[in-house]
Amino acid sequence: MLELRGVSKTVDGMDHIRGVSLRLESGSLNVLLGPTLSGKTTLMRLMAGLDTPTAGQVLVNGQDMTGVSVRKRDVAMVYQQFINYPALTVYENIASPLRVAGLKRDEIDKQVRKAADLMKLTPYLERTPLNLSGGQQQRTAIARALVKGAHLVLMDEPLANLDYKLREELRDELPKIFSESGAVFVYATTEPTEALLLGGRTATLHEGRVSQFGDTIDVYRNPQDIVTAQTFSDPPLNLLGLTKSGGEFRTSNGTVIPASEEEKRLPDGHYKVGFRPHHLYLQRPSEDAVCLPAVVDVSEITGSESFIHLTCLNHRWVALEHGIHNVDVDANIDVYVDAKNFMIFDDDGRSVASLMNASHMAETA
Amino acid sequence: MEKTVNNKAWFMVLPVLLLVAFTAVIPLMTVVNYAFQDSFGNNQFFWVGIEWFQELLASERFHDALVRNLIFSFSILAIEIPLGIGIALCMPKKGWGVPVCLVLMALPLLVPWNVVGTIWQVFGRADIGLLGYFLNLIGINYNYTQDPIAAWATVIVMDVWHWTSLVVLLCYAGLVSIPEAYYQAARIDGASRWAVFRYIQLPKMHSVLLIAVLLRFMDSFMIYTEPFVVTGGGPGNSTTFLSIDLVKMAIGQFDLGPAAAMSLVYFLIILLFSWVFYTVMNNAGAEKKHYAGEE
């Protein structure tokens, strides 16, 4: 178990990590999700003991390890770059942590071959990393982390430099392999999709702060604040300011959007509303949907999906549609939103979902 | 798809071909031409076949100069490469120290060869030179104009002073290109300082070291100006390298044929050694450590 208590890191007066408290269980898969420069790598370095926090404590199995050198800790790490010993063979690379640990030769051999087999590296054991493909190099690095049998395994965007197919393959295998080892497994990524595919638990990072930590799917569905919702949305979350009065929302141009049953329980006032790009429609999806006028900025077609960037009510939005939709740039089009897809936040950006649920519960009680 | 042949491309490379022809191919062919002939002035040439080559390869003078060249080149490689690596390892990786160190390192490289020679010629003199005077003051009998060992020491130290910087700069470039993550990974692995050098830094510097060794070997094997200025090849013939000998033969004695033959042999020796260095070092880089099962 790894526990961070109010950990902060300041470098040259800049706050890189601010008051992070996390409790990661043994045998669990934890995703650190956040954009570039959100502090994922710094946080991992603090977890590993490569850096010492400016404030706060790092506890391993209840024991305070703050300030203990990384050499004395039981940690393995895999990086975005493919880090292996360049002059050693794959075999020697995988064996290196075992050699440092001073294991017997036949024991090393057994473990190396097992890890190589698991990572599908057996045919390449005698090659040097430079004679391998990127995927094989990264699998070597992962095998090295695996044989170490460390209590804490940190992976810093390990699949970012791999091609699509390899990523999918490794993404499926990694959680299984490491959950069997019973280690605390931490995986940093910038991609919401990757977090969702990995499952487990997710901590969303924003400007050095953990904005939410919980089961991945729960964090995705019920973000506690607007920052979490934005971090966990790719393409970016669409935002809209609304005023609620009675049973309806009103946009800045006076369009009325009827509120759902739950939303009606909210007190009247200003709200910030977020909804995901696949909830912005080009065709009317349902009777309750409301039509808004928009101007197309850019449209991108990936083949199976189309991303239409547009401006609506002075907001820049993205619509994600399945299939190919050709829309002309600068064309005036109608887009549709449905209030039941809204994630609603108060003026401070805090989710009001609990408010809706609480009153709902009070009612049913 | 059919490959299109565009003959216009030849016109595009023509200027370069002409340039190379006039600067390299034609002079080289002239030298080849001289190497098989004897001349008696008045532009009279006589075909002598491979006589000059036979004479040269059997000559003790050539052998001695060649051995001196080899000793010199290997000495300065043995000193400059480890020293260069050592200095590069000690240089700061970031902060204000980086530009300071780089400029200091680049300074010797900016000094022309003959100026370097003159500097050391004066520096080493026992009467007015700081080094010579000081060495003699502490009881070392140092005089490069009379003592062959002192002459050799001066020439080698001078070359080390002049050219170690190049090795440093190359190694430094290799070192700073190693991502920080490698060092982190080594720390996490609990690797020692030596292991970091042996298994990360040295392999990562391999390609720049190859260039450094090649450049330093070629340059040192062709050394002329500095020993010429400092010792003039003396005392006796003790610092007469191939290049100095060659100039004496070609311009001093005006033996064009033998000098041309010597140039060709000289050129081929450099080519051969460079190839050997390149092959050996390249293979060393690809060398695989046997894994435990076969140890």
Side-chain angles (χ1 to χ4, degrees):
Chain A
M1 195 187 70
L2 175 76
E3 196 180 345
L4 303 184
R5 281 190 197 157
V7 166
S8 299
K9 179 74 183 173
T10 310
V11 181
D12 300 333
M14 295 262 291
D15 291 334
H16 288 210
I17 293 294
R18 314 166 195 220
V20 168
S21 295
L22 281 176
R23 208 183 147 93
L24 311 177
E25 302 295 334
S26 297
S28 67
L29 165 58
N30 305 280
V31 181
L32 290 180
L33 175 67
T36 319
L37 293 178
S38 61
K40 299 187 299 297
T41 304
T42 315
L43 192 56
M44 285 197 142
R45 290 175 60 98
L46 293 170
M47 286 175 174
L50 284 162
D51 283 335
T52 314
T54 316
Q57 285 176 301
V58 180
L59 289 87
V60 177
N61 293 328
Q63 207 184 336
D64 190 353
M65 297 292 270
T66 325
V68 174
S69 150
V70 66
R71 289 172 196 276
K72 294 186 182 134
R73 294 201 199 182
D74 190 17
V75 183
M77 193 155 177
V78 177
Y79 300 83
Q80 186 175 346
Q81 305 103 315
F82 314 135
I83 305 291
N84 292 299
Y85 294 106
L88 298 183
T89 59
V90 170
Y91 186 101
E92 282 302 325
N93 260 292
I94 302 176
S96 62
L98 304 172
R99 290 211 193 287
V100 173
L103 261 69
K104 288 222 176 66
R105 186 176 294 178
D106 45 345
E107 180 60 23
I108 291 176
D109 191 58
K110 209 176 90 190
Q111 291 210 30
V112 169
R113 287 181 189 284
K114 195 176 143 210
D117 191 45
L118 200 62
M119 297 315 296
K120 301 191 183 77
L121 287 166
T122 310
Y124 316 110
L125 280 176
E126 281 166 78
R127 293 204 199 168
T128 50
L130 280 179
N131 298 313
L132 297 175
S133 73
Q136 289 160 348
Q137 287 184 44
Q138 192 65 320
R139 289 214 298 271
T140 307
I142 293 169
R144 256 187 35 235
L146 187 63
V147 289
K148 202 177 178 192
H151 174 76
L152 175 62
V153 180
L154 302 165
M155 300 213 156
D156 193 357
E157 301 186 47
L159 309 181
N161 288 335
L162 294 179
D163 69 64
Y164 186 70
K165 202 168 170 290
L166 271 169
R167 279 164 84 162
E168 294 209 318
E169 245 178 67
L170 279 175
R171 196 156 46 203
D172 286 347
E173 291 167 12
L174 283 181
K176 277 182 244 159
I177 291 167
F178 281 97
S179 67
E180 282 167 18
S181 71
V184 178
F185 186 66
V186 185
Y187 188 107
T189 180
T190 54
E191 293 172 39
T193 330
E194 197 159 38
L196 285 167
L197 286 168
L198 284 166
R201 291 164 73 72
T202 291
T204 45
L205 266 170
H206 179 76
E207 291 175 355
R209 233 185 281 272
V210 169
S211 61
Q212 192 170 345
F213 179 52
D215 289 339
T216 302
I217 207 69
D218 190 50
V219 176
Y220 178 76
R221 288 229 181 99
N222 307 307
Q224 281 169 6
D225 51 35
I226 208 160
V227 163
T228 308
Q230 282 175 311
T231 306
F232 219 145
S233 187
D234 179 44
L237 193 73
N238 296 319
L239 294 173
L240 175 64
L242 291 177
T243 315
K244 179 181 180 288
S245 59
E248 56 190 37
F249 292 108
R250 209 174 279 273
T251 65
S252 55
N253 73 342
T255 310
V256 171
I257 305 175
S260 69
E261 281 308 312
E262 284 167 348
E263 287 160 358
K264 280 179 185 156
R265 298 193 187 97
L266 293 172
D268 290 354
H270 285 285
Y271 291 100
K272 281 180 193 162
V273 160
F275 55 98
R276 300 195 189 274
H278 61 271
H279 287 144
L280 180 62
Y281 306 95
L282 297 191
Q283 268 97 35
R284 182 180 288 275
S286 66
E287 280 304 303
D288 301 332
V290 174
C291 176
L292 294 168
V295 180
V296 176
D297 295 325
V298 182
S299 94
E300 300 168 312
I301 297 167
T302 64
S304 57
E305 288 166 337
S306 305
F307 296 94
I308 295 116
H309 298 257
L310 45 85
T311 305
C312 181
L313 308 173
N314 291 325
H315 292 282
R316 297 180 75 91
W317 287 350
V318 188
L320 171 61
E321 291 275 328
H322 286 285
I324 294 173
H325 294 258
N326 272 318
V327 280
D328 295 330
V329 173
D330 290 334
N332 289 300
I333 57 170
D334 286 339
V335 291
Y336 299 87
V337 293
D338 191 334
K340 73 173 194 294
N341 298 322
F342 286 169
M343 291 184 272
I344 304 173
F345 306 95
D346 62 20
D347 272 344
D348 299 327
R350 305 226 44 96
S351 170
V352 294
S354 58
L355 223 65
M356 304 192 302
N357 292 337
S359 50
H360 177 66
M361 266 148 67
E363 228 166 75
T364 46
Chain B
M1 207 173 78
E2 214 172 299
K3 209 173 168 182
T4 53
V5 179
N6 190 348
N7 286 321
K8 265 188 225 157
W10 287 107
F11 290 103
M12 301 295 192
V13 291
L14 195 64
V16 178
L17 282 179
L18 285 175
L19 197 70
V20 171
F22 276 104
T23 55
V25 181
I26 292 173
L28 188 67
M29 287 306 125
T30 318
V31 172
V32 171
N33 187 30
Y34 282 149
F36 294 97
Q37 301 188 62
D38 196 1
S39 67
F40 292 104
N42 276 343
N43 245 359
Q44 294 178 58
F45 287 93
F46 302 92
W47 177 260
V48 294
I50 57 166
E51 197 186 312
W52 298 135
F53 289 93
Q54 284 171 326
E55 204 171 87
L56 178 79
L57 293 176
S59 109
E60 209 164 295
R61 179 175 156 185
F62 177 73
H63 289 169
D64 290 349
L66 179 61
V67 168
R68 279 193 286 270
N69 252 48
L70 288 173
I71 295 175
F72 178 72
S73 286
F74 282 102
S75 309
I76 67 105
L77 281 181
I79 298 170
E80 288 179 12
I81 299 294
L83 187 64
I85 295 174
I87 295 174
L89 285 173
C90 296
M91 274 171 64
K93 297 276 180 317
K94 52 188 167 191
W96 57 268
V98 176
V100 173
C101 283
L102 287 180
V103 169
L104 281 178
M105 280 298 136
L107 275 180
L109 299 176
L110 302 176
V111 185
W113 293 275
N114 52 346
V115 175
V116 172
T118 311
I119 289 173
W120 282 83
Q121 211 252 1
V122 176
F123 191 46
R125 277 175 66 164
D127 50 354
I128 55 166
L130 203 59
L131 176 75
Y133 179 77
F134 182 73
L135 283 177
N136 282 299
L137 199 68
I138 61 169
I140 299 168
N141 187 16
Y142 170 82
N143 188 338
Y144 60 79
T145 56
Q146 278 161 22
D147 180 8
I149 295 174
W152 266 85
T154 310
V155 174
I156 287 180
V157 170
M158 176 173 63
D159 196 84
V160 168
W161 178 84
H162 195 182
W163 289 109
T164 304
S165 295
L166 181 73
V167 182
V168 172
L169 292 180
L170 283 167
C171 288
Y172 185 72
L175 281 175
V176 291
S177 72
I178 302 175
E180 175 62 25
Y182 276 91
Y183 297 113
Q184 275 179 38
R187 272 169 75 195
I188 288 177
D189 279 1
S192 62
R193 182 70 194 82
W194 166 252
V196 170
F197 174 70
R198 172 67 187 81
Y199 295 113
I200 296 173
Q201 290 171 323
L202 201 55
K204 284 271 167 190
M205 279 194 293
H206 176 261
S207 50
V208 287
L209 274 179
L210 175 66
I211 294 170
V213 168
L214 278 179
L215 282 179
R216 283 318 300 132
F217 174 77
M218 289 190 291
D219 275 355
S220 65
F221 210 78
M222 294 188 280
I223 190 158
Y224 174 77
T225 317
E226 293 124 302
F228 178 77
V229 173
V230 178
T231 65
N237 271 335
S238 61
T239 55
T240 301
F241 297 111
L242 285 174
S243 56
I244 295 178
D245 208 18
L246 178 65
V247 173
K248 269 186 199 163
M249 197 187 284
I251 296 166
Q253 298 157 225
F254 218 72
D255 284 335
L256 287 185
M262 187 177 168
S263 317
L264 286 179
V265 173
Y266 194 5
F267 169 63
L268 290 176
I269 291 173
I270 294 175
L271 204 63
L272 175 77
F273 270 96
S274 299
W275 176 76
V276 168
F277 273 120
Y278 182 80
T279 317
V280 167
M281 286 194 68
N282 234 3
N283 289 345
E287 192 181 54
K288 286 169 189 167
K289 212 177 167 210
H290 287 296
Y291 63 81
E294 283 179 2
E295 263 174 359

